[in-house]
Amino acid sequence: MGRPIRTRRQATLASLAAELGVSRTTVSNAYNRPDQLSPELRRRVLETARRLGYPGPDPVARSLRTRRAGAVGLLLTENLSYAFRDPAAVGVLEGLALACEDAGVGLHLVPASPGREDVAAVHRAGVDGFVVYSVPDDDPHLAAVLERPVPTVIIDQPSIEGIDRVGPDDAAAVGKIAEHLVSLGHRQVGVICMRLARERNDDFVSATRQSGAHFHVQRTRLEALAAAFSAAGVDWAGVPVVERFDHTVDDGASAARQLLDAYPQITAVICTSDILALGTMAEAERRGLRVPQDLTVTGFDGIAEAERIGLTTVHQPVLEKGKTAGRLLLSSGERSAPKTITLPTELRIGRTSAPPRTVEEPWFGG
């Protein structure tokens, strides 16, 4: 039998203080309040700590004493990789990270995959507050966040009375797209939207599902489109709307395929995100459709790829959205009333919108 391995006992704050002949407060100050010590004394404390293998004050114990975690929680009800893959989400995450950097606090991602009911990750998160990014109003993780006695800021959705919120005026923004298409002469339009509820539906959307959508941003955008086209004499009940649960270019392409197969007479496809619009463009190319001569395509977000190809879209400041939410959360202790910040948007008319084709013009789609 071999000898047991002997390990050196880890130094503690008390043993380090005894070694140096100083108080435990002095050792603690070397890490947490360096301005309280002379540079020479702090250097001596840190060098002795390295020699003895003292790792520094226990952050868990410190948070228990101060009741501060030093971190902001971001609730994202998507798979964790979504925050680093989706361009709009990346912009929001970067903005929030910048706000945290400015305040000297950390950022704790609390992912909750769609369909997962377990809210333990929310309960376990050691954070001083939450930023909730675009979740449905019936999400159990949102309910768990609101049960925590910490400040909360919501980005985009849902809109909850008494809770800080940051986001654009979605109705006004989408209204600009509708006005643009109506002015061009489009009356036969179709819509591809992001998910409307927590249950999957990769299909056409009924009027009941539209009006009862738990993702209020999507509901608001559809309502604004309905109002604008109805005012132009279009019966919204006859406008096909296709929903996609996942938010990828491939899903945008499959939705466009489904839409155009069933309604080949459509002259414009309105997408509630640039990602879905990029997929629609890919499907149009596959069919031999010219954009915008045969088919107008619009998006929403203003991501870099949309700008590169000249997509007609609504640009929203996603980086500023994350930064504003972070600053709002970190300053919440200075306010007595909740605050809503509405960010500006801009309709950017690109190369993907034009008047509809006429009956005399040949259409080679298939």
Side-chain angles (χ1 to χ4, degrees), residues 180-342:
H180 172 60
L181 296 182
V182 167
S183 69
L184 289 174
H186 290 281
R187 298 297 185 272
Q188 294 181 314
V189 300
V191 179
I192 298 176
C193 71
M194 296 169 66
R195 76 175 71 136
L196 299 177
R198 289 196 293 140
E199 69 274 10
R200 180 179 288 273
N201 175 58
D202 292 319
D203 209 338
F204 289 96
V205 181
S206 67
T208 300
R209 186 172 176 86
Q210 290 181 47
S211 62
H214 288 283
F215 283 89
H216 95 256
V217 165
Q218 298 299 305
R219 184 177 71 241
T220 299
R221 292 178 187 179
L222 290 174
E223 289 172 348
L225 289 171
F229 279 101
S230 296
V234 176
D235 179 11
W236 186 254
V239 174
V241 178
V242 177
E243 177 184 357
R244 278 300 178 267
F245 189 82
D246 294 322
H247 189 227
T248 68
V249 172
D250 286 345
D251 284 285
S254 69
R257 189 175 311 124
Q258 187 175 16
L259 179 64
L260 295 172
D261 281 347
Y263 297 87
Q265 73 276 18
I266 284 174
T267 62
V269 177
I270 306 165
C271 301
T272 63
S273 80
D274 287 348
I275 292 293
L276 296 176
L278 293 175
T280 299
M281 297 277 289
E283 174 60 18
E285 182 179 5
R286 188 190 71 82
R287 289 171 174 258
L289 291 174
R290 300 166 300 166
V291 175
Q293 294 92 334
D294 298 324
L295 186 69
T296 282
V297 179
T298 67
F300 195 110
D301 283 331
I303 65 174
E305 180 62 14
E307 183 175 348
R308 188 189 69 80
I309 68 169
L311 178 69
T312 293
T313 187
V314 169
H315 178 271
Q316 61 169 327
V318 291
L319 186 142
E320 191 60 34
K321 186 189 290 187
K323 189 184 297 184
T324 300
R327 290 173 175 170
L328 189 60
L329 180 73
L330 293 166
S331 67
S332 59
E334 304 167 10
R335 292 181 286 106
S336 57
K339 191 171 184 179
T340 297
I341 297 178
T342 302

Side-chain angles (χ1 to χ4, degrees), residues 49 66 79 84-85 101 125 178 180 192 246 333 344 363:
T66 63
N79 295 316
F84 303 94
R85 184 182 68 248
E101 286 176 9
H180 172 60
I192 298 176
D246 294 322
W363 179 39

Side-chain angles (χ1 to χ4, degrees), residues 15-26:
S15 65
L16 179 57
E19 173 76 15
L20 290 163
V22 299
S23 69
R24 285 183 289 183
T25 299
T26 296

Side-chain angles (χ1 to χ4, degrees), residues 120-134:
V122 173
H123 294 150
R124 289 195 305 264
V127 297
D128 298 317
F130 283 96
V131 171
V132 176
Y133 180 36
S134 197

Side-chain angles (χ1 to χ4, degrees), residues 8-25 27-28 31 44-45 48-56:
R8 184 174 68 176
R9 186 176 180 180
Q10 189 176 66
T12 64
L13 184 145
S15 65
L16 179 57
E19 173 76 15
L20 290 163
V22 299
S23 69
R24 285 183 289 183
T25 299
V27 173
S28 178
Y31 290 90
R44 190 159 63 91
V45 170
T48 305
R50 283 192 292 270
R51 177 168 58 83
L52 297 181
Y54 175 62

